[in-house]
Amino acid sequence: MDIQKIGVVGAGQMGNGIAHVLAVAGYDVLLNDLDADALEKALATIDKNLERQVSRGKLAEADKAAALSRITTTLDLPELGQTDLVIESATERESVKQAIFETLVPHLEPHTILTSNTSSISITRLASGTDRPEKFMGFHFMNPVPIMQLVELIRGIATDKETYDACLKVVEKLGKTAASAEDFPAFIVNRILMPMINEAVYTLYEGVGNVNSIDQSMKLGANHPMGPLELADFIGLDTCLAIMNVLHDGLADTKYRPCPLLTKYVEAGWLGRKTGRGFYDYRGETPVPTR
Ligand SMILES: CC(=O)CC(=O)SCCNC(=O)CCNC(=O)[C@H](O)C(C)(C)COP(=O)(O)OP(=O)(O)OC[C@H]1O[C@@H](n2cnc3c(N)ncnc32)[C@H](O)[C@@H]1OP(=O)(O)O
Ligand SMILES: NC(=O)C1=CN([C@@H]2O[C@H](COP(=O)(O)OP(=O)(O)OC[C@H]3O[C@@H](n4cnc5c(N)ncnc54)[C@H](OP(=O)(O)O)[C@@H]3O)[C@@H](O)[C@H]2O)C=CC1
């Protein structure tokens, strides 16, 4: 199947990165969000990140202009029914994702493939609420999308081979590498990464270290590019908590219990970089630890 036009639902940090790399690879992109401000902000971020690639000699100025011209925005979700592939990348909440697919389904072309960039939620369950479980799968990018090489591809129980192969072709056209993961809570990357982040929050909660010493230990002691708390802020603490809850509920094992301190940060609305405050306060010139 030849995919040319791709719809992206949710223009947050992942949605804008996904639109960016799809447009650079030559796809026409229709980007949707609930909010006109979010769409405007996403286009500004894409422009800034493309410019960064131009200034580092990774992209020609003409290719930047061409990529931007391939991205159209809309507040009207049903318009995405005209695309060949939809990548849903809205907030990590099952009810939000289900409502999006419910609204979209009556407007879809028969051939359209539906996918979700979910970090953790059952692909089989999301698929079962649509009219096309065989044309539904997980298409999981990593953050920051323009830089990270991996895309996890997750088949639900009913996903057919044609759908998988069509998504694999898109990953290859993006110049990225696909890893195939089975449909169990949080798949591969987050099954391993998120318990480590949660353990870092427990380490902070129990006073074993402070924000600085924990992040420094993992950067200098384990050669991680970011400390786990810095990475949690980068991902979004709401998303980290949502993933831990899916692991805890889905695998029914207390080892996935979300740290109460992570819950408290989310209750405070301190969601990390995207709200200006999380384990660090980003409102000044340099990030300042909040504990
Ligand atoms: C939660 C989930 O469901 C799954 C996930 O995504 S888990 C999160 C996975 N991601 C990670 O683990 C990221 C870990 N961090 C890193 O790899 C690095 O810190 C980083 C790549 C983000 C930044 O690297 P750095 O060395 O500190 O910064 P810097 O040298 O300025 O940037 C490196 C490159 O990233 C680019 N970059 C940095 N931040 C970026 C951003 N937010 N968006 C786009 N590009 C970005 C820079 O332009 C630069 O590009 P080139 O190499 O092409 O010149
Ligand atoms: N952050 C990360 O590192 C990664 C996240 N993911 C996954 O990607 C998805 C998005 O995460 P991320 O971009 O970080 O989250 P963000 O919070 O940055 O963005 C989510 C966006 O979706 C919008 N949205 C919410 N509901 C709807 C809706 N019904 N229709 C259209 N748009 C909607 C939100 O709007 P509003 O703000 O108005 O609610 C917001 O703009 C999640 O499933 C997450 O798990 C996957 C890989 C990595």
Side-chain angles (χ1 to χ4, degrees), residues 13-14 16-17 20 45 48-50 52-53 56 58 92 117-120 140-148 152 186-187 189-190 193-194 197 224-227 230-231 234-236 239-240 243 273:
Q13 54 178 342
M14 293 305 290
N16 81 56
H20 171 143
T45 303
K48 190 187 80 196
N49 283 334
L50 286 168
R52 183 150 50 167
Q53 290 177 309
R56 296 186 189 215
K58 307 238 156 138
E92 185 73 347
N117 182 45
T118 177
S119 298
S120 60
H140 184 213
F141 288 85
M142 306 295 136
N143 186 12
V145 181
I147 299 300
M148 303 299 279
E152 272 183 295
F187 323 123
V189 171
N190 287 321
L193 179 69
M194 213 40 76
I197 287 177
H224 290 194
M226 286 177 169
E230 186 188 359
L231 181 57
F234 183 62
I235 292 167
T239 303
C240 294
I243 297 168
R273 275 185 183 272

Side-chain angles (χ1 to χ4, degrees), residues 20-203:
H20 171 143
V21 297
L22 292 173
V24 169
Y27 292 105
D28 290 323
V29 180
L30 188 51
L31 179 61
N32 161 264
D33 201 283
L34 294 172
D35 182 2
D37 284 352
L39 290 171
E40 231 170 81
K41 209 170 130 208
L43 286 180
T45 303
I46 294 168
D47 191 312
K48 190 187 80 196
N49 283 334
L50 286 168
E51 189 52 44
R52 183 150 50 167
Q53 290 177 309
V54 171
S55 68
R56 296 186 189 215
K58 307 238 156 138
L59 191 73
E61 188 70 52
D63 292 336
K64 174 191 164 190
L68 281 174
S69 74
R70 286 188 202 106
I71 303 174
T72 314
T73 60
T74 179
L75 290 170
D76 186 25
L77 180 60
E79 267 192 54
L80 272 63
Q82 304 301 311
T83 61
D84 306 312
L85 166 69
V86 173
I87 303 177
E88 173 280 315
S89 190
T91 310
E92 185 73 347
R93 202 172 310 131
E94 191 161 336
S95 57
V96 169
K97 294 183 186 297
Q98 275 166 345
I100 287 169
F101 291 123
E102 204 174 298
T103 305
L104 200 49
V105 158
H107 305 277
L108 292 175
E109 294 285 339
H111 73 276
T112 305
I113 292 175
L114 289 180
T115 67
S116 175
N117 182 45
T118 177
S119 298
S120 60
I121 298 167
S122 165
I123 297 303
T124 301
R125 214 161 51 229
L126 289 175
S128 72
T130 74
D131 64 340
R132 59 193 70 204
E134 68 290 348
K135 286 190 187 310
F136 193 108
M137 59 183 280
F139 204 127
H140 184 213
F141 288 85
M142 306 295 136
N143 186 12
V145 181
I147 299 300
M148 303 299 279
Q149 188 59 34
L150 188 79
V151 178
E152 272 183 295
L153 290 181
I154 306 111
R155 264 178 281 231
I157 201 165
T159 310
D160 65 22
K161 185 170 182 313
E162 200 189 350
T163 300
Y164 185 86
D165 289 347
C167 290
L168 181 60
K169 236 163 106 181
V170 174
V171 175
E172 286 168 354
K173 195 165 163 192
L174 297 179
K176 296 195 185 286
T177 304
S180 179
E182 291 300 320
D183 184 24
F184 289 100
F187 323 123
I188 296 174
V189 171
N190 287 321
R191 171 77 178 261
I192 299 168
L193 179 69
M194 213 40 76
M196 183 205 66
I197 287 177
N198 192 49
E199 200 58 30
V201 186
Y202 270 114
T203 310

Side-chain angles (χ1 to χ4, degrees), residues 251-264:
L251 297 169
D253 190 328
T254 53
K255 76 178 175 183
Y256 300 111
R257 192 169 61 104
C259 179
L261 185 60
L262 179 60
T263 305
K264 198 186 286 291

